[in-house]
Amino acid sequence: MKKKLPDSFSLHGSVMRHSLLKGISAQIVSAADKVDAGLPTAIAVSSLIAVGTSHGLALIFDQNQALRLCLGSTSVGGQYGAISALSINNDCSRLLCGFAKGQITMWDLASGKLLRSITDAHPPGTAILHIKFTDDPTLAICNDSGGSVFELTFKRVMGVRTCESRCLFSGSKGEVCCIEPLHSKPDLKDHPITQFSLLAMASLTKILVIGLKPSLKVWMTFPYGRMDPSSVPLLAWHFVAVHNYVNPMLAFCRGDVVHFLLVKRDESGAIHVTKQKHLHLHYDLINFTWINSRTVVLLDSVEKLHVIDRQTQEELETVEISEVQLVYNSSHFKSLATGGNVSQALALVGEKACYQSISSYGGQIFYLGTKSVYVMMLRSWRERVDHLLKQDCLTEALALAWSFHEGKAKAVVGLSGDANKRKAVVADRMVEILFHYADRALKKCPDQGKIQVMEQHFQDMVPVIVDYCLLLQRKDLLFSQMYDKLSENSVAKGVFLECLEPYILSDKLVGITPQVMKDLIVHFQDKKLMENVEALIVHMDITSLDIQQVVLMCWENHLYDAMIYVYNRGMNEFISPMEKLFKVIAPPLNAGKTLTDEQVVMGNKLLVYISCCLAGRAYPLGDIPEDLVPLVKNQVFEFLIRLHSAEASLEEEIYPYVRTLLHFDTREFLNVLALTFEDFKNDKQAVEYQQRIVDILLKVMVENSDFTPSQVGCLFTFLARQLAKPDNTLFVNRTLFDQVLEFLCSPDDDSRHSERQQVLLELLQAGGIVQFEESRLIRMAEKAEFYQICEFMYEREHQYDKIIDCYLRDPLREEEVFNYIHNILSIPGHSAEEKQSVWQKAMDHIEELVSLKPCKAAELVATHFSEQIETVIKKLQNQVLLFKFLQSLLDPREGIHVNQESLQISPCITELFIELLCQFNPNQVIETLQVLECYRLEETIQIAQRYQLHEVTAYLLEKKGDIHGAFLIMLKRLQSKLQEITQQDENTKENSSLKEVEETTVETIALCQRNSHNLNQQQREALWFPLLEAMMAPQKLSSSAAPHLHSEALKSLTMQVLNSMAAFIALPSILQRILQDPVYGKGKLGEIQGLILGMLDTFNYEQTLLETTTSLLNQDLHWSLCHLRASVTRGLNPKQDYCSICLQQYKRRQEMADEIIVFSCGHLYHSFCLQNKECTIEIEGQTRWTCYKCSSSNKVGKLSENSSEIKKGRITPSQVKMSPSCLPSKGDPAVKKATSEPVLDPQQIQAFDQLCRLYRGSSRLALLTELSQNRSSESYRPFSGSQSGPAFNSIFQNENFQLQLIPPPVTED
């Protein structure tokens, strides 16, 4: 298992090569030992390498790592401190050394002489952070730990070497910690921008770009955004080509963003700086180096190198360099050698500063470690590829090489700019790798084990070879050497051949060698993948194969597409494949047998093939060569219209090919012909062909009885379409059409009725109607019951009323008549006379329509003729139909979509409906009355009485307001039912009468309960006592010795009446009434003992319930008041000890007579400050303070806003003191009014909110209130099954509601 490569590595390979400079590293270590040079501190690189040490020595090495010079001495080092900065000039003749104690020395690198020792160039006591030569060898720049920048000019007067210093930037205006002069390469010496001698400086707050020549000038300042103060400012110049012009680009960064600034000089000589796309990173930078104009190398604070492509900002590689043990310059930034007299900000930046440890020259970057020097450079393209090969990453190596070939790779070194040369060089290398890859694939193949493992191995390897050979357009290589090599292993060979399939199918691979093609077909044949073989053959140039052999194989394996293709392409033979296919499908069709699936497939292919040939297209894809098209068309036509087939038997019927195709699929064959006729140019030959084919079709089909009506119909529909064309040249005898009509309308038997009708309809719609005499057609259609044909004909003549008859007579479509009438009447475009005739017809057939679908008929009448409802009712003689019609019309539950208000229906119609309802469906009357609207009560009551429907009469009387009348009817009903039950003897096991008694009792109780609320005491008694009497009467009759068989049930019903009464009638009067009863008054208390005990039980239960509730509510109240009192008297804890407005400590202003106001939100103010901010509010005549910070707007506005704030608990005046002015005067009328309506002040509201939060959930009081409301507002719908439930937004319907069955804990006071 290969280890997973990092993504950038697998994509770009290893971009950088890093190596240790062993010679220099060894000599640095030995100098520290032998001459006490100390540790390395700085490095500068040109054609020589200079390394400074902590004991003041500068070691100079040449390109071969030999030590050339050792400049300075440890005694000077003792005086000047460590070397803190180095710089070598352009021609490598001078070296500048800056020291930790501030001195600067200049050396001649040829002779090793000390030329200058400069001690007064900048303020003493500051370390040199940077010293840099400019392109002018007499000009250098230094930057010290005071943050100042100086220009050093070297002169030679009278043989005396001098140095003049000029301050460019003073550290008092912001400390500079990084400087970078623009250096130009020798080939850019004449660039117009070099004359300005540009210098970039980075301070801790901004970037400056200044020109030192011809006179000092600031060209740009650029402030940083906000960033981490410990991150290091970095600057780097490089010349970059943008829009074919080469200009310097300055990269500057601090933290994790790199900005690129392009610097240009315009015609007038001014310098312009433009920002380019910047680079966002996810790490903190401590070094930035250009390696070339496209590639940059970044070093982050955890010593990881990132190689980045500047234009795409893609990371190409990351390298860990902690092994270098990089030298940091922190001690110089803190100026420790001079006593550490630097600002904190500079010292913080210095923690990560390593400016002097990294130097770049000529595309190489040198890193100075504590004991070593390392060099980094870009690998050449070959090296990168080879590096991947060494790692055994062959596929990655090929992918990388291909990216070099296509010019898409990044950080490319060593490839020619000319694309063709580049491609040739890379392609050669890729071919070498491919050979190596193929050898490795064969070598690494697992010898033993399953065949699947071997297959998998090659499936991973072989496609890569095929892909790259085809990408490099080296088919010669692929089919010769590669194929031969892989053929050594049979599994590899098989996988190779299978790899070719997708390329062949997508036509990317043409011109395969005959050997490979043969092997390919044999391989797929062996694996029984015949469909694949077929797909491949039709994409291959098969002229190089043995055609007879291929045809035979195709035929044996049913590869008909391939067979046709081979005949067409291989031999330019178009007729033979048709003959072959006809031979298979003709015999079973002529014998009238059904075809097998295989034969159906062949027939379909034959039709498509004929269609392609006639249209000039090649089968199965592509086009026939243009010069062959007319020839092929003629050949195919001649073939189709042959009188006899080649090896015909004597009894073969004429035109066998046309006959076979017609039998196989008439419609499709005729479609093929129709398409061909479309393509025909109207030349003489084409017209002849058309006429001949039509004559043959007619001869074959009309003179034969073995075609079905649909097949004959298809032919005539085809002919009708052809004849209806404007440029028609065909001639067909009209008598044939009459024969067809006769054939379809009056067959020998009545089978296939709908099929024949459909065929005739298609024929007429295709334009065949012009071939018939219309009156005869209608007569025949009516006789044959072809109602759709009749409809088609009537539609043409706008006889819409007759179409209604067609629908009503046609059992398949009779229900569609309603939509048809509706469309005619509502869609614009029909004349008033047409609409009238349609409506008249509908009225004539209204009984039929209603019996068909009453609701549809009602909807039709209601939508279009609402004013003629009475006429419709008169027409409906049949009572049952009338009832159904009215029910659909008036009962909204029937679901017809009509606005009942827009229907002006007179009450007498509704009453007629109610009367019919009483006759046909008496059980539904009350439910229907509840939804009906317009009927007169008196008349309806009379109807109900006429049909003796007592419940209906009672419902209507109650609705009318005659409660007593309704009650008497119900009572009478109840008494008659009770009488029935008492007369039953033991033997009747009938329980239905008892059930009726129960139902009637419940309904009567409901009636009394519904109306008792609106009656006085006397009227209530007039309802309830007769009911009680009626219930007790049967019990009086039965003696206690021989109780009645239903006495228990009656007792419980009586109890129910008593319990219901108790809500409306006082208990004493009920008892009195029972005891006054003559039966009970004579000392038979035993009879009513059960009743009275039951009432007393109820009374006891309710009393206990009341006492418990009162006790619980009292406990709740006590608990709530304790908490209220505790929260009101709680001390206030201010968040701070100063006023939130003037921000002064409250103690400081003690001399003023000013009160301190503390709010319960924790803010504290002087009352004087609050008054200035107008934070007072008048509530019911009292002045109250509001918290300035917590009120939503700092100006207190309208009272409405404040009152809402008080509710929210945002205004929280809990003052320490209350000034007298805030107290209301005694005679204030507003206050008197306020006392009548108690108002909670905001403090109490807040305390109450706190209490509610403490005791979550609904209070018991709320629950009890809800229950009592539900009880009182319960309304019983008359006789309806369900009683209305609790209010919709009830507490109990809240999903979070939980019943708490224990009282809340009583807190200790």
Side-chain angles (χ1 to χ4, degrees):
M1 176 69 188
K2 241 180 2 183
K3 69 175 193 298
K4 173 89 171 70
L5 299 160
D7 289 343
S8 61
F9 180 75
S10 59
L11 202 59
H12 304 288
S14 173
V15 179
M16 299 293 284
R17 179 175 77 245
H18 57 292
S19 47
L20 170 67
L21 296 179
K22 291 181 183 163
I24 296 179
S25 304
Q27 291 175 78
I28 289 173
V29 174
S30 112
D33 287 348
K34 290 178 182 167
V35 297
D36 190 23
L39 293 170
T41 55
I43 188 168
V45 183
S46 179
S47 50
L48 298 173
I49 298 169
V51 177
T53 72
S54 59
H55 290 176
L57 298 180
L59 309 173
I60 312 298
F61 300 93
D62 64 13
Q63 289 168 335
N64 300 323
Q65 305 189 38
L67 180 63
R68 285 264 300 277
L69 296 167
C70 177
L71 307 175
S73 66
T74 49
S75 60
V76 174
Q79 187 186 341
Y80 289 179
I83 288 184
S84 58
L86 289 170
S87 178
I88 301 175
N89 67 356
N90 269 355
D91 60 1
C92 216
S93 60
R94 300 280 184 271
L95 171 73
L96 278 174
C97 304
F99 288 87
K101 292 188 181 173
Q103 296 83 348
I104 299 168
T105 58
M106 183 192 268
W107 300 85
D108 182 332
L109 287 175
S111 63
K113 280 185 189 167
L114 176 67
L115 301 180
R116 289 181 176 81
S117 187
I118 306 160
T119 55
D120 54 356
H122 67 106
T126 55
I128 297 290
L129 298 183
H130 301 278
I131 184 137
K132 306 253 174 164
F133 272 112
T134 63
D135 277 353
D136 176 354
T138 66
L139 199 61
I141 314 290
C142 81
N143 171 206
D144 65 13
S145 61
S148 301
V149 180
F150 294 88
E151 175 190 66
L152 308 179
T153 312
F154 306 119
K155 292 187 177 171
R156 201 168 169 187
V157 183
M158 313 282 291
V160 178
R161 289 188 167 87
T162 61
C163 171
E164 290 175 11
S165 160
R166 167 168 75 148
C167 181
L168 300 177
F169 190 90
S170 163
S172 58
K173 294 184 182 147
E175 293 153 309
V176 170
C177 56
C178 178
I179 58 172
E180 199 62 57
L182 172 63
H183 290 291
S184 54
K185 297 194 183 94
D187 53 339
L188 290 168
K189 277 280 175 265
D190 303 327
H191 195 285
I193 215 150
T194 54
Q195 68 196 49
F196 292 98
S197 192
L198 292 182
L199 170 70
M201 302 188 286
S203 78
L204 297 179
T205 54
K206 59 179 178 281
I207 304 285
L208 293 118
V209 174
I210 64 174
L212 301 175
K213 295 178 180 178
S215 59
L216 192 62
K217 180 160 186 183
V218 178
W219 286 110
M220 184 211 73
T221 57
F222 189 99
Y224 299 124
R226 295 189 60 181
M227 53 190 58
D228 178 6
S230 70
S231 50
V232 187
L234 303 168
L235 294 168
W237 288 100
H238 202 281
F239 279 87
V240 173
V242 177
H243 305 311
N244 299 333
Y245 290 105
V246 175
N247 280 305
M249 187 177 275
L250 174 66
F252 82 84
C253 43
R254 187 169 182 196
D256 57 0
V257 184
V258 182
H259 296 272
F260 294 101
L261 303 175
L262 190 65
V263 181
K264 286 184 195 164
R265 173 180 181 268
D266 65 9
E267 290 78 24
S268 66
I271 284 181
H272 293 282
V273 180
T274 49
K275 280 185 79 173
Q276 305 291 303
K277 187 164 137 190
H278 54 267
L279 174 61
H280 269 284
L281 307 163
H282 52 275
Y283 38 81
D284 196 26
L285 291 186
I286 59 173
N287 178 262
F288 179 102
T289 314
W290 293 90
I291 203 157
N292 58 35
S293 60
R294 290 184 306 280
T295 317
V296 295
V297 178
L298 313 178
L299 179 62
D300 68 18
S301 52
V302 296
E303 297 193 2
K304 222 184 219 171
L305 278 185
H306 303 265
V307 185
I308 288 182
D309 181 71
R310 181 181 64 81
Q311 279 148 325
T312 60
Q313 304 198 350
E314 189 180 353
E315 190 168 274
L316 309 180
E317 187 179 17
T318 54
V319 186
E320 188 73 64
I321 63 156
S322 47
E323 68 197 22
V324 172
Q325 295 182 322
L326 199 64
V327 171
Y328 284 87
N329 316 136
S330 312
S331 61
H332 313 314
F333 271 77
K334 296 177 181 174
S335 200
L336 298 180
T338 58
N341 51 345
V342 296
S343 70
Q344 273 182 323
L346 198 61
L348 189 59
V349 168
E351 292 290 345
K352 298 179 191 169
C354 57
Y355 295 112
Q356 303 302 329
S357 326
I358 301 172
S359 178
S360 69
Y361 177 74
Q364 297 177 314
I365 311 175
F366 295 83
Y367 293 89
L368 180 65
T370 50
K371 293 178 181 173
S372 56
V373 176
Y374 280 82
V375 64
M376 293 259 178
M377 65 186 80
L378 288 177
R379 296 178 189 271
S380 75
W381 74 273
R382 266 181 204 281
E383 240 181 294
R384 279 165 68 180
V385 172
D386 293 345
H387 183 76
L388 282 170
L389 290 174
K390 273 183 204 149
Q391 308 267 332
D392 221 14
C393 304
L394 271 78
T395 41
E396 286 84 359
L398 282 165
L400 182 63
W402 179 249
S403 71
F404 290 131
H405 184 278
E406 292 299 287
K408 290 182 180 166
K410 310 280 188 307
V412 184
V413 177
L415 268 181
S416 154
D418 177 47
N420 293 334
K421 279 187 190 169
R422 179 189 75 222
K423 287 187 174 182
V425 171
V426 178
D428 289 346
R429 182 75 186 109
M430 285 183 76
V431 170
E432 288 169 27
I433 300 173
L434 283 170
F435 277 121
H436 174 51
Y437 189 83
D439 291 338
R440 184 162 165 272
L442 292 165
K443 201 182 293 175
K444 287 275 177 85
C445 173
D447 298 335
Q448 55 274 20
K450 295 182 181 168
I451 190 86
Q452 285 93 327
V453 179
M454 285 174 77
E455 271 184 355
Q456 188 56 52
H457 167 75
F458 284 116
Q459 275 161 5
D460 292 341
M461 307 285 278
V462 175
V464 177
I465 298 174
V466 178
D467 277 346
Y468 282 111
C469 283
L470 291 173
L471 283 172
L472 292 168
Q473 295 175 338
R474 295 290 304 270
K475 280 190 291 191
D476 55 327
L477 183 75
L478 182 67
F479 291 137
S480 55
Q481 290 144 294
M482 285 294 173
Y483 183 55
D484 296 345
K485 202 182 270 285
L486 292 169
S487 296
E488 294 166 18
N489 182 314
S490 59
V491 180
K493 180 178 175 179
V495 172
F496 177 86
L497 293 169
E498 282 165 34
C499 281
L500 301 178
E501 184 182 15
Y503 290 101
I504 296 171
L505 295 184
S506 56
D507 292 325
K508 287 182 187 164
L509 185 54
V510 285
I512 307 175
T513 59
Q515 182 58 46
V516 176
M517 212 184 294
K518 194 172 169 190
D519 291 352
L520 187 66
I521 291 174
V522 169
H523 173 73
F524 277 101
Q525 231 178 321
D526 291 347
K527 290 193 85 170
K528 302 279 188 290
L529 296 170
M530 294 321 293
E531 286 90 354
N532 305 48
V533 175
E534 179 161 42
L536 289 170
I537 287 176
V538 299
H539 282 274
M540 292 195 309
D541 176 18
I542 39 79
T543 44
S544 51
L545 290 182
D546 179 346
I547 289 182
Q548 288 313 116
Q549 195 184 343
V550 176
V551 168
L552 194 65
M553 178 197 76
C554 293
W555 188 253
E556 282 171 0
N557 294 292
H558 313 299
L559 310 182
Y560 307 115
D561 287 359
M563 180 198 75
I564 295 171
Y565 176 84
V566 172
Y567 268 118
N568 292 176
R569 287 293 170 91
M571 305 188 261
N572 271 348
E573 170 64 81
F574 290 86
I575 301 302
S576 302
M578 285 192 209
E579 287 181 326
K580 271 179 110 72
L581 291 172
F582 267 118
K583 275 181 195 163
V584 179
I585 64 165
L589 281 172
N590 294 340
K593 293 178 186 165
T594 52
L595 297 182
T596 63
D597 290 350
E598 182 65 34
Q599 288 165 334
V600 171
V601 169
M602 290 166 83
N604 285 329
K605 284 191 188 298
L606 181 58
L607 274 175
V608 177
Y609 175 48
I610 291 171
S611 157
C612 284
C613 289
L614 293 176
R617 289 194 309 276
Y619 181 86
L621 41 109
D623 290 302
I624 298 173
E626 270 190 40
D627 51 333
L628 287 178
V629 173
L631 184 70
V632 171
K633 277 191 184 179
N634 287 348
Q635 280 184 356
V636 172
F637 261 124
E638 291 295 342
F639 171 73
L640 286 178
I641 57 182
R642 280 187 196 168
L643 199 58
H644 284 291
S645 57
E647 299 124 21
S649 59
L650 288 173
E651 61 268 15
E652 180 186 72
E653 296 189 41
I654 52 172
Y655 305 118
Y657 299 132
V658 170
R659 184 182 302 279
T660 302
L661 288 170
L662 284 171
H663 270 302
F664 175 70
D665 190 334
T666 315
R667 188 180 294 265
E668 280 310 313
F669 177 49
L670 292 171
N671 282 347
V672 169
L673 290 179
L675 285 171
T676 314
F677 285 7
E678 291 288 324
D679 286 352
F680 266 163
K681 310 285 175 290
N682 265 349
D683 60 359
K684 198 169 171 214
Q685 189 190 14
V687 171
E688 279 176 23
Y689 267 134
Q690 285 186 25
Q691 188 65 52
R692 253 176 93 188
I693 281 220
V694 167
D695 292 345
I696 290 170
L697 289 171
L698 287 168
K699 194 165 181 60
V700 169
M701 285 194 89
V702 177
E703 294 176 11
N704 261 52
S705 57
D706 54 352
F707 286 98
T708 64
S710 327
Q711 289 174 316
V712 176
C714 277
L715 172 64
F716 279 89
T717 305
F718 162 75
L719 292 177
R721 283 207 181 104
Q722 297 304 322
L723 293 172
K725 281 187 190 168
D727 54 353
N728 170 49
T729 54
L730 291 175
F731 168 74
V732 178
N733 193 335
R734 276 187 74 155
T735 54
L736 283 173
F737 278 93
D738 287 343
Q739 282 176 12
V740 168
L741 181 63
E742 197 72 41
F743 168 68
L744 290 173
C745 288
S746 43
D748 308 332
D749 60 342
D750 199 34
S751 61
R752 299 186 167 193
H753 179 274
S754 59
E755 183 192 335
R756 285 183 288 117
Q757 174 169 237
Q758 203 53 44
V759 167
L760 187 52
L761 190 61
E762 273 182 37
L763 174 55
L764 296 178
Q765 285 167 341
I769 191 151
V770 296
Q771 311 292 338
F772 300 111
E773 186 194 331
E774 294 193 7
S775 56
R776 176 165 179 261
L777 178 59
I778 291 180
R779 274 202 314 282
M780 294 192 72
E782 282 179 346
K783 185 176 157 206
E785 297 181 1
F786 286 174
Y787 297 115
Q788 280 171 281
I789 306 293
C790 299
E791 183 188 341
F792 178 78
M793 300 303 296
Y794 292 143
E795 184 84 48
R796 283 168 60 84
E797 290 164 20
H798 303 301
Q799 297 180 336
Y800 300 113
D801 50 338
K802 292 192 176 177
I803 295 178
I804 295 176
D805 283 333
C806 294
Y807 273 108
L808 287 172
R809 284 194 223 147
D810 189 343
L812 296 174
R813 301 192 310 146
E814 57 185 5
E815 290 191 2
E816 291 172 31
V817 68
F818 297 104
N819 286 345
Y820 182 77
I821 297 173
H822 173 71
N823 289 345
I824 294 285
L825 294 175
S826 56
I827 293 173
H830 297 293
S831 67
E833 297 80 48
E834 287 167 355
K835 290 187 179 183
Q836 183 55 41
S837 69
V838 166
W839 176 244
Q840 204 47 56
K841 191 75 170 176
M843 289 298 277
D844 296 346
H845 290 286
I846 193 74
E847 286 212 342
E848 272 180 73
L849 292 173
V850 171
S851 59
L852 193 60
K853 266 213 169 172
C855 59
K856 290 268 190 190
E859 201 170 333
L860 201 61
V861 171
T863 311
H864 296 289
F865 294 93
S866 50
E867 64 278 3
Q868 294 192 24
I869 290 175
E870 291 181 20
T871 327
V872 175
I873 291 172
K874 284 194 190 106
K875 287 207 171 215
L876 289 169
Q877 296 301 314
N878 181 328
Q879 292 292 295
V880 179
L881 280 183
L882 179 58
F883 167 59
K884 283 183 179 172
F885 173 73
L886 287 175
Q887 186 169 25
S888 302
L889 189 68
L890 299 175
D891 191 338
R893 294 168 304 173
E894 288 297 307
I896 74 159
H897 309 294
V898 176
N899 184 0
Q900 294 284 351
E901 280 120 41
S902 64
L903 277 178
Q904 312 279 300
I905 293 178
S906 67
C908 56
I909 294 179
T910 315
E911 285 151 23
L912 170 64
F913 168 52
I914 294 170
E915 188 165 349
L916 289 167
L917 190 66
C918 293
Q919 277 181 48
F920 295 114
N921 200 347
N923 296 336
Q924 289 288 314
V925 177
I926 288 180
E927 283 183 31
T928 311
L929 285 174
Q930 285 168 1
V931 294
L932 285 180
E933 284 161 6
C934 45
Y935 57 88
R936 295 166 298 185
L937 280 170
E938 288 300 333
E939 283 76 354
T940 317
I941 291 171
Q942 286 170 14
I943 294 170
Q945 285 170 342
R946 198 180 320 144
Y947 288 96
Q948 299 198 336
L949 296 172
H950 300 302
E951 294 103 315
V952 181
T953 316
Y955 168 76
L956 291 165
L957 285 171
E958 186 186 348
K959 192 168 180 180
K960 182 180 160 190
D962 180 0
I963 312 296
H964 204 68
F967 174 69
L968 288 176
I969 290 177
M970 293 301 287
L971 190 65
K972 199 186 253 175
R973 225 174 125 232
L974 180 63
Q975 285 168 335
S976 67
K977 292 271 194 291
L978 284 168
Q979 202 168 350
E980 278 175 33
I981 212 171
T982 47
Q983 285 164 2
Q984 280 180 2
D985 53 6
E986 289 292 328
N987 305 332
T988 51
K989 287 280 179 226
E990 189 113 39
N991 263 350
S992 59
S993 51
L994 177 63
K995 203 159 186 232
E996 283 177 10
V997 169
E998 282 175 8
E999 282 171 8
T1000 315
T1001 311
V1002 170
E1003 285 171 12
T1004 316
I1005 291 174
L1007 174 73
C1008 298
Q1009 281 179 325
R1010 266 200 308 281
N1011 297 293
S1012 289
H1013 293 291
N1014 310 324
L1015 302 177
N1016 60 28
Q1017 192 61 32
Q1018 189 184 352
Q1019 289 168 321
R1020 287 177 184 180
E1021 289 181 7
L1023 288 185
W1024 286 103
F1025 284 136
L1027 177 59
L1028 186 62
E1029 297 280 335
M1031 287 310 297
M1032 289 169 69
Q1035 299 176 46
K1036 297 174 194 172
L1037 299 175
S1038 64
S1039 62
S1040 53
H1044 186 266
L1045 120 119
H1046 292 305
S1047 61
E1048 282 306 314
L1050 290 173
K1051 271 185 185 171
S1052 74
L1053 282 174
T1054 314
M1055 236 9 255
Q1056 206 174 327
V1057 173
L1058 278 170
N1059 285 338
S1060 305
M1061 282 171 77
F1064 302 104
I1065 295 178
L1067 204 60
S1069 53
I1070 298 177
L1071 281 172
Q1072 191 181 352
R1073 174 57 69 104
I1074 292 174
L1075 294 172
Q1076 278 175 354
D1077 189 290
V1079 181
Y1080 299 132
K1082 291 176 185 160
K1084 286 190 181 178
L1085 270 173
E1087 298 286 322
I1088 56 164
Q1089 185 183 358
L1091 288 179
I1092 293 172
L1093 283 176
M1095 285 163 70
L1096 288 173
D1097 273 354
T1098 310
F1099 170 73
N1100 279 335
Y1101 168 68
E1102 287 180 355
Q1103 187 181 8
T1104 315
L1105 196 63
L1106 185 65
E1107 284 168 3
T1108 313
T1109 311
T1110 313
S1111 137
L1112 285 175
L1113 285 174
N1114 286 341
Q1115 283 180 11
D1116 281 6
L1117 187 61
H1118 174 259
W1119 182 82
S1120 307
L1121 287 172
C1122 282
H1123 269 276
L1124 267 174
R1125 182 165 163 274
S1127 56
V1128 167
T1129 54
R1130 187 180 292 120
L1132 293 176
N1133 176 23
K1135 289 179 186 170
Q1136 71 270 340
D1137 60 352
Y1138 53 83
C1139 165
S1140 292
I1141 294 174
C1142 70
L1143 303 177
Q1144 290 196 19
Q1145 286 210 333
Y1146 66 88
K1147 298 170 188 156
R1148 299 231 176 116
R1149 292 181 59 172
Q1150 210 58 58
E1151 70 278 358
M1152 293 174 66
D1154 198 11
E1155 291 171 347
I1156 306 304
I1157 296 178
V1158 181
F1159 289 88
S1160 58
C1161 56
H1163 294 123
L1164 172 150
Y1165 304 93
H1166 297 110
S1167 63
F1168 185 70
C1169 298
L1170 271 185
Q1171 270 172 349
N1172 287 347
K1173 293 287 181 188
E1174 299 177 25
C1175 287
T1176 56
I1177 176 174
E1178 292 285 331
I1179 296 183
E1180 303 292 344
Q1182 290 192 7
T1183 307
R1184 302 204 176 280
W1185 298 104
T1186 62
C1187 175
Y1188 173 67
K1189 277 202 166 180
C1190 294
S1191 51
S1192 59
S1193 60
N1194 288 350
K1195 282 273 178 236
V1196 172
K1198 300 172 203 136
L1199 186 63
S1200 62
E1201 286 174 20
N1202 287 312
S1203 57
S1204 69
E1205 298 232 332
I1206 288 172
K1207 283 174 194 139
K1208 283 189 256 172
R1210 302 263 320 255
I1211 299 174
T1212 51
S1214 306
Q1215 293 101 317
V1216 174
K1217 300 176 184 170
M1218 181 94 165
S1219 49
S1221 65
C1222 294
L1223 294 168
S1225 58
K1226 284 183 180 146
D1228 191 347
V1231 176
K1232 285 177 188 166
K1233 202 191 294 174
T1235 50
S1236 63
E1237 274 182 42
V1239 175
L1240 289 179
D1241 72 7
Q1243 185 183 352
Q1244 292 165 323
I1245 286 171
Q1246 195 198 9
F1248 186 69
D1249 282 346
Q1250 200 176 354
L1251 182 73
C1252 290
R1253 281 199 297 279
L1254 190 69
Y1255 175 30
R1256 295 189 183 285
S1258 310
S1259 71
R1260 289 204 190 82
L1261 193 57
L1263 295 178
L1264 291 168
T1265 314
E1266 179 88 46
L1267 285 166
S1268 65
Q1269 276 176 352
N1270 287 340
R1271 282 294 299 278
S1272 61
S1273 68
E1274 241 165 41
S1275 65
Y1276 296 84
R1277 290 296 298 266
F1279 312 110
S1280 64
S1282 67
Q1283 297 171 345
S1284 67
F1288 179 67
N1289 52 358
S1290 151
I1291 291 173
F1292 305 113
Q1293 288 183 335
N1294 182 350
E1295 55 189 21
N1296 299 326
F1297 171 70
Q1298 288 182 329
L1299 195 59
Q1300 295 171 325
L1301 297 176
I1302 52 165
V1306 179
T1307 51
E1308 294 296 322
D1309 188 81

